[in-house]
Amino acid sequence: MTNNWRDDLRLKLEDFVDTFVVNGAKQVDVYNAIQKELDSLRAAYDRDPDPTDDPGDVVDEPSNDWPAAQD
């Protein structure tokens, strides 16, 4: 893979930021909010890189437990 994905990422980020700026947000505020969310995502990934591997996420109850499903 080449660095073309980085160019595409930059263009999409610019478009993303512009979406909020056009709606009245300050560019620096959008950048700060994005950075805060990225930090949160990175911290969550560091704690649990693949949450689907967690055994505690198994649901042991049927999904059709509403009254009309009993008929």
Side-chain angles (χ1 to χ4, degrees), residues 20-48:
F20 295 101
V21 171
V22 166
N23 288 320
K26 292 181 182 178
Q27 191 175 36
V28 69
D29 292 337
V30 176
Y31 289 147
N32 290 337
I34 290 171
Q35 186 62 56
K36 183 178 177 182
E37 291 302 320
L38 287 173
D39 292 343
S40 295
L41 288 172
R42 181 171 291 177
Y45 180 80
D46 287 344
R47 281 191 308 274
D48 194 358

Side-chain angles (χ1 to χ4, degrees), residues 1-16:
M1 180 179 274
T2 64
N3 282 339
N4 291 340
W5 69 269
R6 291 181 188 267
D7 295 335
D8 189 38
L9 175 66
R10 181 184 180 103
L11 290 173
K12 288 182 180 185
L13 281 173
E14 288 174 358
D15 185 50
F16 182 68

